[in-house]
Amino acid sequence: DVEGGKKRHKSPTTKWIACSSTKEMNRAISIYIQEGDVVAELGSQLRASSTSINEAVGPSGFSVLVDIERKSPNVKKDQDRTSAMRRNGDEIDFYTDRSTFIETKGFEFWRHALFFRNDVRRSKEGYNALVVDMSTVAGNDLDLTCISLVKEFVALNAGSGERDNPCRVVIVKSKSLHSLARRLHHAQKVISGSQSIIEERGTSIIAAVGVEQYRQTIPFVVRKGDVCCEVGCHLGTSTVLIDEAASNSRKADVDQPTTSAGGCIGLDIGTSIIRSAKQKNPM
């Protein structure tokens, strides 16, 4: 892009990788983390993911490993499980040439740990990647909490250097986000037929850009007989299109009135908006 006679840098898009297990997350780390990367990890309770990160970045890279304060496991008990967890002494001999481990009092202190501590070694250009074990660091696996965390990280990271968005990839272990990703569809891909809606995965979410694309998805999503609700109907133009796509009007018999199944109701805030919508589209 050119602006004012000068070439304007277009910031790269951060790729989000949603994983449902530690095994999937470690595989994603091996694929997307590159040698020389600067990586932030939130939820470093498991040594396997931290090991995968440090092996991937190599001696020329660096990682900042953040976890909440927790008791170290008793190695003598349940050794198979505890051997995979961070233990006392790791801060002394665990990839100290390329990583820093930080413990915080709680989940809400991750921002300070990654961006505002003066004693943390990190690139002036920011982090190239973020790895998150959501349930470990946050104590829950809510998709909206996860999305909020990632978006805030990317925003804070964008101001760390000359490039608008140095974060190339975010790898998240979150079953809820993984489930959401499987149900999320790009409207243009649905319209073009390159992406199919798989009902077995649960309620589908179609993400459209702009009103025109939003309306173009209606024939591909709404079926005859569907009972629909449009939240944010404004003057009801899209509501009418959805209603027409869902309505299944027919005459049951010569002597019977017209019956119908399916349709759409529009909702919006403000009585004036609804009044205008009713005037434009009377029943």
Side-chain angles (χ1 to χ4, degrees), residues 9-16 125-129 150-151 153-170:
H9 172 71
K10 187 177 181 180
S11 60
T13 302
T14 301
K15 186 183 292 292
W16 293 38
E125 292 189 346
Y127 298 98
N128 304 116
V150 173
K151 289 180 72 68
F153 171 87
V154 171
L156 287 169
N157 196 50
S160 300
E162 295 179 357
R163 292 183 296 171
D164 293 335
N165 180 20
C167 185
R168 187 180 64 256
V169 63
V170 173

Side-chain angles (χ1 to χ4, degrees), residues 240-254:
V240 171
L241 295 175
I242 298 170
D243 185 76
E244 291 173 349
S247 295
N248 189 21
S249 298
R250 62 181 179 84
K251 284 198 174 182
D253 191 272
V254 177

Side-chain angles (χ1 to χ4, degrees), residues 107-118:
F107 167 65
E108 64 273 18
F109 296 106
W110 68 267
R111 305 167 189 81
H112 180 260
L114 291 180
F115 293 102
F116 302 113
R117 283 180 58 140
N118 295 324

Side-chain angles (χ1 to χ4, degrees), residues 183 185 196-204 221 223:
R183 295 183 288 114
H185 303 274
S196 301
I197 298 174
I198 303 174
E199 296 183 2
E200 289 75 10
R201 292 180 177 176
T203 303
S204 296
V221 177
R223 299 174 179 175

